[in-house]
Amino acid sequence: MNELTFPIIFMLLVVTLEGIIITKTEKGTINWQEWVFNLNSGHIMLWLFRGLELFCYGFVVSHFSLGVVEHWPIALVWIFTLFAWDFGFYWLHRLHHKYRLLWAVHVVHHQGEHFNLSLGVRNSWYSSLTSIPFFMVLALLGIPLEIFITISILHYSIQFFNHSALIPHLGWWEKVMVTPHHHRVHHIKEGHYSNRNFGGSFIFWDKWFGTFSALPDSEYHYGIKGEPATENPFIDNNRPFWRILKRKPQTVSLKVPLYRVNQWFLVIGTLLLFTLVIGYVYLYGYGYQGTTGQQILLFTLLAAGTIALSGISDGRLVGLWSWFTIATVLLFCVLFIWQWQTLFWLTLAGALWLHSLSLLLGIGRQPVQVNHAS
C-alpha cells in the first residue's frame, strides 16, 4: 500500500516546512500549540473512518451499481468524476454549516485561529463518516473505486493547499479555482463570511449558487465566535455532541492544567506519532479485509496515543502516564512479540519511548503556578 503513504508523507513535510518558514520570515502567523492540535486532530482517527468510507463505497459500487458509466469512454468517466466529486463536496460542505449535527462535526475545523497549512489538516475525527452519503451517488453510477480514490486525493490535495499562508494571489486562475485567497474568507469569524465560499476545488459552484464572497476590506480574524477551542483534541471533537445531548463538558475542558510542556517537545511528540501512523498506513492501507490481531493492537495503540497526546497538551497527569504506557507497550511489541527488525520501527518506537520517559521525568515540562485567592 505504498501509494497511500506518499500523500501523507508529503503533507507532513510541507506542513512542517511552512511552519518553520512562517516562524523565520513572519509571512503569516503560526502558533505551535495550535499546530500540534491541528495535526493531532487530523490523523489516526480520521484514517480509521476514511477506511470505513472507502469500504462503504467499494461495497455499494460492487453490489448496487446501476452501471450508468459502464460503457462511457474512460476519459469521460475521469472528467465526469472530477467535476461530480467536487459538486458533491460543495453541498456536503454547505450542509455542514446548515444543520446542527453536521456542524458538530465540522466546527473543529473552524476553531483554528491561524491560517496556515496545518489548518488544512485540522478536521473532526468523524468527518469521513458524514462524507459517506454524499459520494454514494458516484458509487451507484458505477464510478470505479480506484478512480474515486484518485480523484478524492486530487481534490483533498487542492483543499489542503488552499489553507497555505504563503501562496500569493494567482491571477486568472482564481476565476475558476478555489485558492487560499478565496478560502480565507470562509474562515473569517466576523459577519456571515463563514457561510460563504464552500467550494473545494472549483469556485464557480459558489458563484452559480450565490455563496461567493471576496475578502473584506476591513480588519478580520479567523476562528469562531463564542467558546474558544481547548488544547485537547479529544474534548473539542466530542464537546459539540455533548452539548447536543445536554451534557456539560465545561467541568472537563476548563480544568486547570498541572503542567505546561515545552512547545518543541509537543511538536516532536506529534511528529513521532504521525510518522508511526504513516507506518501503519504503509502496512495496512485503509482496509479492514483480513484484519489481524496485530493490526488491531497497533491501531489501538496509535489511537490511544492521540488521546494521550491530547491530555499532555492539556496539562493532565493521566496524559503523561498514558503516553509512557503506550510507548512502552509499543516498543515491547516491536522488539519481542512482532519482532520487527526494520530500522523504521526500531527507531520510531525507541524514540517515542525516550520521549515519553523524558516527559515523565520532568524533562521538557514545568508545573503551572496557580495563584490561590487569599
Side-chain angles (χ1 to χ4, degrees):
M1 305 302 290
N2 295 356
E3 69 278 3
L4 294 177
T5 66
F6 294 150
I8 312 173
I9 295 171
F10 179 73
M11 176 200 68
L12 185 60
L13 289 175
V14 295
V15 165
T16 306
L17 181 61
E18 189 202 50
I20 294 172
I21 292 174
I22 290 174
T23 300
K24 297 295 184 181
T25 64
E26 297 184 355
K27 292 181 178 180
T29 54
I30 191 81
N31 178 297
W32 287 102
Q33 191 84 17
E34 186 176 275
W35 185 94
V36 167
F37 184 113
N38 293 349
L39 264 68
N40 198 28
S41 187
H43 57 6
I44 187 66
M45 297 296 190
L46 191 61
W47 303 131
L48 165 68
F49 294 126
R50 173 65 169 161
L52 182 60
E53 177 187 355
L54 296 180
F55 173 81
C56 291
Y57 187 95
F59 183 82
V60 172
V61 79
S62 298
H63 295 85
F64 302 101
S65 170
L66 301 176
V68 174
V69 304
E70 184 176 351
H71 300 294
W72 290 12
I74 189 64
L76 180 59
V77 175
W78 279 95
I79 294 171
F80 172 79
T81 308
L82 178 71
F83 290 100
W85 192 101
D86 200 55
F87 179 74
F89 179 84
Y90 170 85
W91 285 105
L92 175 160
H93 194 182
R94 186 169 175 175
L95 294 178
H96 273 67
H97 281 252
K98 181 177 178 62
Y99 295 105
R100 187 181 182 191
L101 185 60
L102 294 178
W103 176 247
V105 173
H106 189 54
V107 65
V108 176
H109 179 63
H110 278 268
Q111 287 175 329
E113 297 181 348
H114 300 84
F115 194 86
N116 53 67
L117 284 177
S118 72
L119 182 60
V121 184
R122 182 188 183 119
N123 286 290
S124 168
W125 289 349
Y126 316 114
S127 59
S128 282
L129 287 178
T130 54
S131 297
I132 292 174
F134 292 90
F135 296 119
M136 285 305 107
V137 173
L138 296 179
L140 290 172
L141 292 175
I143 303 297
L145 177 62
E146 295 76 14
I147 295 180
F148 174 77
I149 291 176
T150 304
I151 293 295
S152 297
I153 291 174
L154 173 63
H155 281 298
Y156 284 136
S157 298
I158 294 172
Q159 292 175 29
F160 168 65
F161 279 106
N162 282 338
H163 294 84
S164 174
L166 302 179
I167 296 177
H169 285 282
L170 297 177
W172 64 268
W173 186 254
E174 298 188 348
K175 296 182 182 298
V176 178
M177 304 297 295
V178 177
T179 67
H181 180 71
H182 293 314
H183 196 63
R184 286 176 182 272
V185 174
H186 185 68
H187 282 271
I188 294 174
K189 68 179 177 181
E190 288 87 5
H192 64 288
Y193 290 102
S194 67
N195 287 316
R196 294 291 183 268
N197 295 9
F198 295 108
S201 295
F202 299 114
I203 196 60
F204 46 70
W205 306 124
D206 286 289
K207 293 182 177 180
W208 290 349
F209 294 110
T211 54
F212 176 76
S213 176
L215 273 172
D217 295 327
S218 57
E219 183 180 2
Y220 55 85
H221 305 86
Y222 303 113
I224 61 172
K225 295 180 180 179
E227 189 173 37
T230 70
E231 294 174 355
N232 189 323
F234 175 77
I235 290 175
D236 284 340
N237 276 279
N238 292 286
R239 180 164 55 178
F241 301 103
W242 293 338
R243 278 205 196 89
I244 291 174
L245 295 173
K246 306 300 183 183
R247 302 288 297 275
K248 295 181 178 180
Q250 289 82 356
T251 56
V252 177
S253 62
L254 298 181
K255 182 178 179 180
V256 176
L258 298 176
Y259 57 86
R260 179 67 63 189
V261 174
N262 178 281
Q263 67 175 10
W264 293 113
F265 263 77
L266 271 178
V267 170
I268 290 170
T270 302
L271 290 175
L272 287 172
L273 185 62
F274 212 135
T275 306
L276 285 165
V277 171
I278 294 173
Y280 171 89
V281 175
Y282 178 86
L283 289 175
Y284 306 111
Y286 298 138
Y288 302 110
Q289 193 170 13
T291 299
T292 63
Q294 182 184 85
Q295 178 182 351
I296 293 171
L297 179 56
L298 179 58
F299 177 85
T300 301
L301 289 172
L302 294 176
T306 294
I307 298 172
L309 191 60
S310 299
I312 292 173
S313 300
D314 215 21
R316 299 173 187 274
L317 193 59
V318 67
L320 290 176
W321 282 104
S322 299
W323 188 243
F324 177 75
T325 301
I326 292 162
T328 301
V329 173
L330 177 62
L331 183 60
F332 182 84
C333 289
V334 167
L335 290 175
F336 303 111
I337 299 179
W338 303 331
Q339 296 183 354
W340 290 347
Q341 300 300 316
T342 61
L343 182 63
F344 175 89
W345 288 103
L346 291 174
T347 302
L348 269 294
L352 189 72
W353 186 80
L354 289 174
H355 182 272
S356 68
L357 179 64
S358 299
L359 287 178
L360 199 61
L361 295 176
I363 302 172
R365 67 179 174 92
Q366 57 186 16
V368 172
Q369 301 296 325
V370 180
N371 296 321
H372 298 283
S374 56

